[in-house]
Amino acid sequence: MSKQMLVLVKEIDAIRITMYEFSKKVDNLSDPLLVQLSQLLDEKLNTYNEVCSAA
């Protein structure tokens, strides 16, 4: 696994954990911060898939 992939995996895990912890503290899952985190997670997952496809 390349260094870029390892960094992406760590970032993806951190975003997921942050989303989970934050979702326990809000009543509305459409909270703007959760939406932003979700979009960031999508971007990171797309990047990860591109890196995997190129390898």
Side-chain angles (χ1 to χ4, degrees), residues 7-39:
V7 169
L8 283 167
V9 168
K10 287 182 182 183
E11 290 175 343
I12 289 166
D13 286 344
I15 295 167
R16 286 179 172 158
I17 291 168
T18 303
M19 287 178 70
Y20 173 72
E21 293 298 326
F22 190 72
S23 70
K24 294 191 299 185
K25 297 176 183 178
V26 296
D27 295 327
N28 186 355
L29 293 180
S30 63
D31 183 273
L33 181 56
L34 277 177
V35 172
Q36 279 185 309
L37 287 169
S38 178
Q39 291 170 342

